[in-house]
Amino acid sequence: MSRPLIVSDCDEVLLHMVAPFRDWLGESQGVTFKMDSADFSKAMRYAKDGELVPPQEIWNLLNKFFDTEMYRQQAIAGAVAGINAVGQDADVVILTNLNDHRRDMRARQLADVGINARVFTNQGPKGPALKAILDEYNPSRALFIDDLPQHHDSVSQLTPEVIRLHLCGEPLLSPHIDCAHKAGHAHARIDDWEAALPWILEQIHGEDA
């Protein structure tokens, strides 16, 4: 009999990303980072004159961070124990929006903090990638965890049977991110692992999800 399947995002669900990215920008790139809204493109300004960093340079900085600074990313409180507890009763895979050549780096990064799981990389909406994972695993039930509402929207449209948890464990972001649960695209919004873990376990063990 197939097991339940947990498909989890990485950044801001398992590992902090924005906080170390902000620190690195300030330390070495001459850029300040402050989230005042859900618009990531307006969070970065040049320290010398306060001008917004243009979109292409934002992508350049993100790529440079992931190529050279991933070691800065630390686990979100409760995430390692939580995802490993879930892994006792379900298969766990990571679906992360990174370029494919960084897949092995991400797997090693997660292993270094104590999370050993298969990693799938993706670009763009996560619905199609999740559907392909479901086709491979054919789980008894599946639960998707992500911090961004647009991915819950994508998954809900393609695979509405998947249980969806909106979780953003980064306090710099969580107040500014639209709630996928309120929008009807996620079954719950829980932003810390201590509260999320019993909910997840209830979903994968319950008769009805």
Side-chain angles (χ1 to χ4, degrees):
M1 181 177 177
S2 62
R3 283 158 51 91
L5 176 68
I6 307 297
V7 181
S8 177
D9 184 29
C10 179
D11 294 323
E12 319 307 2
V13 173
L14 301 174
L15 301 179
H16 290 284
M17 182 267 160
V18 161
F21 182 57
R22 174 203 59 190
D23 294 345
W24 171 72
L25 290 173
E27 291 167 9
S28 64
Q29 304 301 308
V31 172
T32 63
F33 183 101
K34 185 178 180 181
M35 287 291 295
D36 292 318
S37 70
D39 191 345
F40 191 82
S41 68
K42 295 182 179 178
M44 281 173 266
R45 294 179 179 272
Y46 291 111
K48 62 182 179 182
D49 56 17
E51 290 294 317
L52 284 170
V53 177
Q56 183 55 51
E57 182 58 22
I58 291 174
W59 283 111
N60 291 340
L61 289 167
L62 285 167
N63 284 325
K64 187 175 180 181
F65 176 84
F66 284 119
D67 280 339
T68 65
E69 308 297 320
M70 287 173 71
Y71 70 91
R72 293 173 177 256
Q73 294 186 253
Q74 300 300 311
I76 284 172
V80 176
I83 204 71
N84 286 335
V86 171
Q88 296 179 20
D89 302 306
D91 293 325
V92 174
V93 302
I94 309 304
L95 177 57
T96 182
N97 266 19
L98 281 179
N99 291 332
D100 295 338
H101 72 273
R102 297 191 179 104
R103 182 180 61 245
D104 292 344
M105 294 168 60
R106 174 120 289 176
R108 288 194 299 271
Q109 176 191 39
L110 287 165
D112 286 343
V113 300
I115 299 172
N116 292 284
R118 185 178 177 188
V119 172
F120 293 85
T121 47
N122 179 68
Q123 298 84 44
K126 290 188 176 179
L130 179 58
K131 188 176 186 305
I133 293 170
L134 294 178
D135 289 343
E136 176 180 343
Y137 277 80
N138 191 28
S140 57
R141 63 181 58 193
L143 190 148
F144 172 70
I145 310 170
D146 204 281
D147 67 308
L148 296 180
Q150 61 265 34
H151 295 315
H152 289 282
D153 185 10
S154 174
V155 168
S156 70
Q157 291 186 44
L158 283 181
T159 54
E161 72 278 10
V162 172
I163 306 160
R164 299 174 300 280
L165 172 61
H166 188 179
L167 188 160
C168 180
E170 174 50 68
L172 292 174
L173 291 183
S174 56
H176 306 296
I177 292 178
D178 292 338
C179 180
H181 181 228
K182 290 181 180 178
H185 301 145
H187 294 91
R189 168 79 183 261
I190 308 172
D191 284 340
D192 71 90
W193 273 94
E194 183 178 356
L197 180 57
W199 187 89
I200 294 168
L201 293 172
E202 180 181 358
Q203 302 309 306
I204 64 173
H205 290 303
E207 293 183 359
D208 298 304

